[in-house]
Amino acid sequence: MTEIERCAASTVVSHVRLDHLGVEFPIYQASARLLRKTLFQTAVGGLLGKAPESGRVLLHALQDVTLNIGSGERVALLGHNGAGKTTLLRTIAGIYHPTAGTIAVEGRCMPLFDIGLGLDAEATGYENILIRGLLMGLKRSEIEARVGDIAEFSDLGDFLDLPIRTYSSGMTLRLLFSIATSTEAEILLMDEWIGAGDQDFVSKADLRLRKLVDSAHILIFASHNQILLEKLCTRGIVLMGGRVVFDGPVGEAVAYYSGQK
């Protein structure tokens, strides 16, 4: 039976524990050709099969994943597209619920992905700060306390009083990045390094992101940039077909993954 335990109290030592965790998704519009196949490996990762009760096609995105990640750890997730990296991050963040096994997360998670979720093009920049903050799980008072810092860092000035639809793509990304990185995280979840906005904004955004990484109790970072992974992380986990196939020092994980390509 699936069990999810979460604790956001800052006094608790941050910890992520997964025990035989599985995540699967039903595929409702599968072709007849797929339905004739009971089990096979997809080209991009994950495992397709049929539910025994209904015959419905299922995508087994994660299978039998057991991990313990404690405070102070910097964990790199490696794997080809579809290997399960993003699914794992979203499950730890509470976006996806496991269909098998258990997960316990102690500490406040900050997912630095899907930062455009909930963006309202007709609302002003200031209104979108409130919307995004609420989606991040912040209280209104916490958001209001950060508005000044977000406005200053984004450097959008009077544009924050205008609808997002009037922004360029670079301006929109600057605002979203400023909101997403406005609070420190105990457990920082990243899916690729964020390159935010135009060239003038990149250097200070990079510095802010590195400070956020340094202050986090736990970093779990999925990326194809192996140089960056080895620079920021000490432990490496390689996923293949939704399963953990290697867990060890990051240099050895990179070598293992490179040998599997």
Side-chain angles (χ1 to χ4, degrees), residues 238-251:
V238 183
L239 292 167
M240 185 178 297
R243 294 182 180 273
V244 174
V245 294
F246 184 91
D247 183 358
V250 66

Side-chain angles (χ1 to χ4, degrees), residues 230-258:
E230 290 194 84
K231 184 175 182 179
L232 294 179
C233 302
T234 55
R235 176 180 173 186
I237 294 169
V238 183
L239 292 167
M240 185 178 297
R243 294 182 180 273
V244 174
V245 294
F246 184 91
D247 183 358
V250 66
E252 295 179 19
V254 168
Y256 180 93
Y257 174 59
S258 298

